[in-house]
Amino acid sequence: MSNGFFSSTKGVVVAGLFIGLGAAVLQKLGNPGNMGLCVACFGRDVSGAVGLHRAEVVQYLRPEIMGLVLGAFAAAILSGEFKPRMGSSPLIRFFLGAFVGIGALIFLGCPWRALLRLAGGDWNAIFGIIGLAVGVLIGAYFISRNFSLGASQKSTLLFGLAFVLLMIGLLYLRVAYPPIEGQAKNDLLFYSVGGPGSQRAPLWASLIFAIVIGYFGQRSRFCSIGAIQNAVLFKQFHLLLGVMGFVAAAFVANLAFGQFHPGFEKQPIAHQLQFWNFFGLVIVGFGAALAGGCPGRQLFLAGEGDADAGVFVLGLLLGLAMAHNFSAASSGAGLGPHGAGIGVISLVMIFLIAITGLAKKA
Amino acid sequence: MSAIDARGLSCPQPLSMVMSALKKEKGPITVLINSESAFESISRTLKSQKRTVAISRNGDEITLEIGPLS
């Protein structure tokens, strides 16, 4: 049951290259600027589509979210790695997911989108990426001092499948209740008529790319948080090379598609408040490091039967929705009215979790 | 001789525990894990160490017997 190719460094680089290329293609096919693929933004659109928030410009049941999980699920089944498990501080993971969601919307993107913004020439992302690294390093400090959310336990097949079934259900809703031209709502779902939520790659493209990316992601363990952590803590550059492949492929494809626009100003779905770009991703890096992976990696883990990762994702969806409901989310115009306050509270809460989770020396 | 039980722990705790044991422990180390991704990252680390490793599998569980520092 050797993982062969994908456990090699060449394997994770190929996975990174494909994910970067896929993101640039999805943007070309209709997804928003420097947002071919973004777990936070698309999670926010999903929570809007089902009415958890009412920000009209960011509501769409993005098939990419479901596809990433289903692709990882397929990979796990085919490789014999589908292992139902749960019970590692689920409520705390839910909160970490929510705080990560808030941080991501202060910056405007998950770690993947931070890298995609860089690959599209949005230099504001540099401050975010520095923040991400700082956040991951704070998390790494606690992990090196034996921070733990505890061990998960083996679970039953159906419990391990629960999150995958939820994704299949959402995909069914997207297919059975498609957007109606010019209408903000059909029988069930909210659909943006304008704004980023209305910029969509075709359903088939979103789904196929996301499933293949999910497959590669599960096999290669691609993770932006792990990339920084392993490089700094253990001098292991395996995952980091995968992430560099991701940026390189997106950059080259952006050049080819005319999607590379270098500069600080007039960047799509971005603001120039550099401290808050930095601060938003400190929250994301710190929170995701404690939870054991970036938002994209959590989707892959949920697909392989890790119910705790599924709980993190549900927390993420709620945090993203609340960031809009409480006006903490940023926009092109800058910070939300409550962005600073809720951002600071989120970071303090993650520190509390980190300190509380330090193992007692026996 | 030391033993590490890293079953069910999130990334990167299994690797982190093995790395700190490798620094402190000159004798043999037994590592028990049940995750393929932990197995891969630990294996990559051990390749650069001058220690022997014996791997045995029992269902989902993987035992790594890391030899003493030579």
Side-chain angles (χ1 to χ4, degrees):
Chain A
M1 211 166 57
S2 152
N3 191 9
F5 177 69
F6 277 114
S7 68
S8 70
T9 297
K10 210 184 280 178
V12 75
V13 171
V14 166
L17 288 170
F18 184 82
I19 301 173
L21 176 69
V25 172
L26 285 172
Q27 181 184 339
K28 179 74 183 161
L29 291 175
N31 280 353
N34 295 340
M35 202 196 280
L37 194 62
C38 171
V39 176
C41 319
F42 289 4
R44 177 261 314 270
D45 291 351
V46 167
S47 60
V50 299
L52 289 176
H53 71 73
R54 301 296 164 89
E56 286 174 1
V57 291
V58 285
Q59 296 173 322
Y60 175 49
L61 202 56
R62 296 266 177 199
E64 286 88 351
I65 297 290
M66 292 79 98
L68 290 170
V69 176
L70 296 177
F73 172 64
I77 290 287
L78 292 172
S79 62
E81 279 186 27
F82 184 78
K83 292 177 187 170
R85 54 194 190 271
M86 59 175 60
S88 168
S89 307
L91 182 65
I92 299 307
R93 288 176 189 273
F94 185 91
F95 284 126
L96 285 173
F99 297 137
V100 164
I102 291 164
L105 288 187
I106 289 173
F107 165 70
L108 290 172
C110 73
W112 289 2
R113 183 168 190 249
L115 298 164
L116 290 174
R117 284 172 57 172
L118 182 69
D122 176 355
W123 305 144
N124 301 299
I126 294 168
F127 298 89
I129 292 167
I130 295 169
L132 182 73
V134 169
V136 171
L137 292 185
I138 302 171
Y141 170 81
F142 282 94
I143 289 163
S144 71
R145 302 209 164 271
N146 294 327
F147 169 85
S148 181
L149 291 174
S152 63
Q153 307 294 321
K154 256 191 200 175
S155 183
T156 59
L157 181 66
L158 203 57
F159 287 178
L161 279 174
F163 193 81
V164 174
L165 293 174
L166 173 67
M167 292 298 114
I168 293 173
L170 287 178
L171 192 56
Y172 167 78
L173 292 184
R174 170 61 188 83
V175 173
Y177 297 87
I180 303 165
E181 189 66 36
Q183 282 193 30
K185 192 174 190 288
N186 61 24
D187 288 351
L188 209 60
L189 301 170
F190 293 88
Y191 283 100
S192 295
V193 177
S198 68
Q199 299 168 345
R200 309 154 186 158
L203 172 62
W204 61 268
S206 297
L207 203 52
I208 290 172
F209 271 102
I211 287 174
V212 178
I213 289 170
Y215 182 93
F216 280 19
Q218 194 280 336
R219 298 313 300 139
S220 68
R221 335 292 184 199
F222 184 84
C223 175
S224 58
I225 301 290
I228 300 171
Q229 209 161 43
N230 289 1
V232 175
L233 274 187
F234 313 122
K235 308 273 177 291
Q236 265 198 22
F237 300 97
H238 174 83
L239 286 173
L240 190 63
L241 288 168
V243 166
M244 288 164 82
F246 170 83
V247 176
F251 169 66
V252 171
N254 280 338
L255 278 180
F257 295 149
Q259 295 174 167
F260 182 74
H261 307 290
F264 285 99
E265 283 171 32
K266 293 192 184 145
Q267 293 295 344
I269 314 148
H271 60 74
Q272 297 184 61
L273 302 172
Q274 306 310 357
F275 173 76
W276 294 105
N277 282 328
F278 169 87
F279 190 82
L281 286 198
V282 169
I283 297 174
V284 171
F286 188 11
L290 296 187
C294 70
R297 174 83 181 134
Q298 301 284 348
L299 291 176
F300 302 151
L301 288 169
E304 58 180 68
D306 184 342
D308 295 322
V311 172
F312 177 95
V313 175
L314 294 178
L316 179 76
L317 293 178
L318 187 78
L320 294 164
M322 295 318 287
H324 278 284
N325 290 341
F326 289 170
S327 307
S330 300
S331 69
L335 211 57
H338 296 133
I342 293 178
V344 168
I345 291 170
S346 298
L347 189 63
V348 169
M349 290 310 217
I350 299 173
F351 264 108
L352 276 179
I353 291 172
I355 293 162
T356 310
L358 287 176
K360 293 186 180 58
K361 288 262 175 324
Chain B
M1 170 77 195
S2 67
I4 294 170
D5 182 356
R7 288 175 297 176
L9 294 180
S10 297
C11 176
Q13 289 171 57
L15 179 60
S16 179
M17 290 160 84
V18 170
M19 292 293 274
S20 68
L22 284 171
K23 272 183 208 154
K24 280 183 264 175
E25 177 66 68
K26 293 190 172 67
I29 306 165
T30 305
V31 184
L32 194 55
I33 49 176
N34 61 355
S35 136
E36 291 297 326
S37 64
F39 174 65
E40 287 167 13
S41 64
I42 292 170
S43 300
R44 266 194 291 277
T45 299
L46 291 175
K47 266 182 199 164
S48 60
Q49 302 274 335
K50 287 173 183 147
R51 297 204 185 202
T52 57
V53 189
I55 299 157
S56 57
R57 284 174 180 271
N58 179 13
D60 286 345
E61 294 188 355
I62 307 168
T63 308
L64 300 159
E65 303 274 359
I66 303 172
L69 200 60
S70 52

